[in-house]
Amino acid sequence: MCGIIGYSGHRPAVPVCMEGLRRLEYRGYDSAGVAFPNRGGLTVIKEPGKLGMLEQALEKAGNVLGATSALAHTRWATHGVPNQVNAHPHTDASGKLAMVHNGIIENFAELKQELAHKGVTFQTETDTEVLVKLVGEYRKECATMREALSRALTRAEGAYAVVLVSADHPGRLWAARKQSPLVLGVGVGENFLASDVPAFLPYTREVVFIDDGEMVIIDADRWQILDVATLAPKEKEVKTITWDVQSAQKGGYKHFMLKEIFEQPKVIRDCLAGRIGQRTQSVKLPELEGLPLPGRLVIVACGTSYYAGLWGKYVIEKLARVPVDVAIASEFRYADPILSEGEQVLVVSQSGETADTLAGLRLAKEQGIPVIGLCNVVGSSVARESDHVLYTQAGPEISVASTKAMCSQMVMLLLLALSYAARKGVLDEEESGALVRGLQEMPGLLEESLPAMRESAKALARMYAEADSFLYLGRGACYPLALEGALKLKEISYIHAEGYAAGEMKHGPIALIDPRFPTFAIALADDLFGKVRSNLIEVKARGGKIIALTNPGVELEIDHPWFLPKVAGPLGAFTVLPAVQLFAYEIADYLGKDVDQPRNLAKSVTVE
Ligand code: F6R
């Protein structure tokens, strides 16, 4: 969603902010803008479309290198169409204050009416303009900007991360957060504010994660954190980011998505590091120490993370016999879910900032249910608010379409299943040891197989890129992967795709099958192979074309068998996942789509 960067320091602020916006592009946006103090006033430049448009406008404006403080924004439209007028920054009535905002001010209509009665006029359809104009009105009555901002924010309902600049205080920025991500980057003679760490990572690794209800004020050489409501100063810890800039760059790959698919062997290694006992091969999850086995585990997540959760249900129930329910976070939060003592909630989120997932987390906590957060971004809201955190160690995921994050979530869910199984004593050591060894061998196996997988994906993509629709089929633990395959295809290639449990197909979707409606099946040589094969014979009988991920040595008469290396039981998922990702990637690339930033999508969905 919207990306924010603010800078105060010794460098030319506008180029620093533009570079920051580039590194936040992955969040998804449809317009962009920048504001900076300039000769007693403020210059605001904004454009619809991609950052190139804003760069051209800046070039035209000239004279932008003098500013040593600035703020900038990429907008993902919520209130008001994506055009120049609605792009951020927005200014108050005096034109001396400019604000950028990520989130939604839910009571903006009431506030707007109240301001209109006072004679304030509005140029845009946005909630942000209302908020900055409210600050501007309070500024007339308050001695300081911080008071004016505090008063305005106390009245704002909804979610926000805001940054504000004033023509009267060049060099200073004010910011605050409620339910939308905001991080402070602490440099030497310079400070940064951003929605996400990669925005300023080339300059500093020292960060302070801003919490809900906090305001932060930066100048070039100091920063200060206050309580938004009381303005009382707060002590905060400065943390050091351990990953580097290279991890957030393409490294020779055409797209981040491709790079991240190929990083999966490393991701598995990193997830396993320090988690397997050398001698006993037992799983170590010290983060869960003190937490009893759950009577029932409720997994709450969105999108790809939800599909990882569905896969987790299969492995946890099968290996550990612990009952698991999986809920879509946006449904869970309003379903008045029944949670009982002894149960636990596991929220799964790459970004750790997904609004619905966070709402699910908070709901569980309100009911006194212990929450485990399975997330990737260190210091994210999920990480900070969960009672126990399992980090997935996938490194920054930049492509909007999630790939390596799901792989890491599946590793952690399998480890969780194995640790539950060991604690309950329901899995014999031999089977458990074989799975652990299989996981340890998976990175090597994938490193060997990924280049050939890509070639197969490329060849099939050329044959099938003209299809309007795809049916993805899988059974058992492969059903969530069919759902994920369909999601990847539709989100980056814009080809309609539906994931279905293979056995359910004859209850409806089979009516769609004809020679122009291809099926992508997952038919591994496992316990359910015979069943899936029967389903595919039914498709074939209706003239449907079939691609199937399978293993060598099986008998399957279909158009395009795609052979993956055979591995034991649930480990097959780690070979299927990159195959469905690569197929979607190659089709989207062949069709010339914007793979890393698909239309209408945002990386971190921080609004409901
Ligand atoms: C799909 C995708 C989304 C996310 C979903 C949840 O490729 O990326 O479906 O999985 O928005 O995001 P997180 O995991 O950050 O909570």
Side-chain angles (χ1 to χ4, degrees), residues 488-508:
K488 283 289 93 81
L489 186 68
K490 67 187 137 197
E491 70 181 327
I492 61 169
S493 73
Y494 317 145
I495 294 174
H496 167 254
E498 226 178 306
Y500 241 83
E504 184 67 7
M505 185 203 48
K506 60 171 91 61
H507 300 283

Side-chain angles (χ1 to χ4, degrees), residues 461-608:
R462 274 151 184 68
M463 287 181 227
Y464 284 91
E466 301 311 320
D468 293 326
S469 264
F470 260 91
L471 182 63
Y472 276 69
L473 296 180
R475 278 187 102 127
C478 289
Y479 167 48
L481 295 158
L483 295 171
E484 172 61 5
L487 175 64
K488 283 289 93 81
L489 186 68
K490 67 187 137 197
E491 70 181 327
I492 61 169
S493 73
Y494 317 145
I495 294 174
H496 167 254
E498 226 178 306
Y500 241 83
E504 184 67 7
M505 185 203 48
K506 60 171 91 61
H507 300 283
I510 199 163
L512 294 166
I513 302 293
D514 71 21
R516 285 161 299 128
F517 189 103
T519 294
F520 190 117
I522 305 168
L524 298 187
D526 59 16
D527 307 350
L528 291 170
F529 174 74
K531 304 285 172 199
V532 180
R533 182 173 52 193
S534 304
N535 300 136
L536 295 184
I537 292 169
E538 290 154 10
V539 172
K540 192 102 192 108
R542 276 129 193 115
K545 289 222 159 37
I546 303 173
I547 302 172
L549 292 171
T550 188
N551 301 120
V554 299
E555 265 182 48
L556 193 61
E557 286 202 7
I558 52 156
D559 305 273
H560 300 290
W562 178 350
F563 294 107
L564 300 174
K566 171 88 183 93
V567 286
L571 297 174
F574 294 95
T575 62
V576 169
L577 184 64
V580 296
Q581 294 165 343
L582 283 166
F583 181 67
Y585 170 81
E586 291 297 345
I587 287 205
D589 188 38
Y590 182 68
L591 293 174
K593 305 295 182 207
D594 190 349
V595 171
D596 283 334
Q597 288 161 39
R599 69 184 181 206
N600 306 337
L601 292 181
K603 182 67 186 161
S604 172
V605 185
T606 50
V607 294
E608 241 194 271

Side-chain angles (χ1 to χ4, degrees), residues 225-270:
I225 297 191
L226 313 168
D227 183 280
V228 166
T230 64
L231 292 177
K234 291 183 80 170
E235 292 287 321
K236 294 280 293 199
E237 192 189 342
V238 179
K239 300 207 163 126
T240 305
I241 295 294
T242 49
W243 44 272
D244 54 17
V245 184
Q246 276 74 30
S247 331
Q249 287 173 346
K250 280 190 210 152
Y253 286 90
K254 184 171 177 192
H255 295 102
F256 279 112
M257 182 177 177
L258 189 60
K259 177 189 174 227
E260 288 160 6
I261 293 171
F262 273 79
E263 277 174 353
Q264 289 173 115
K266 176 179 178 331
V267 163
I268 298 175
R269 270 192 202 104
D270 291 348

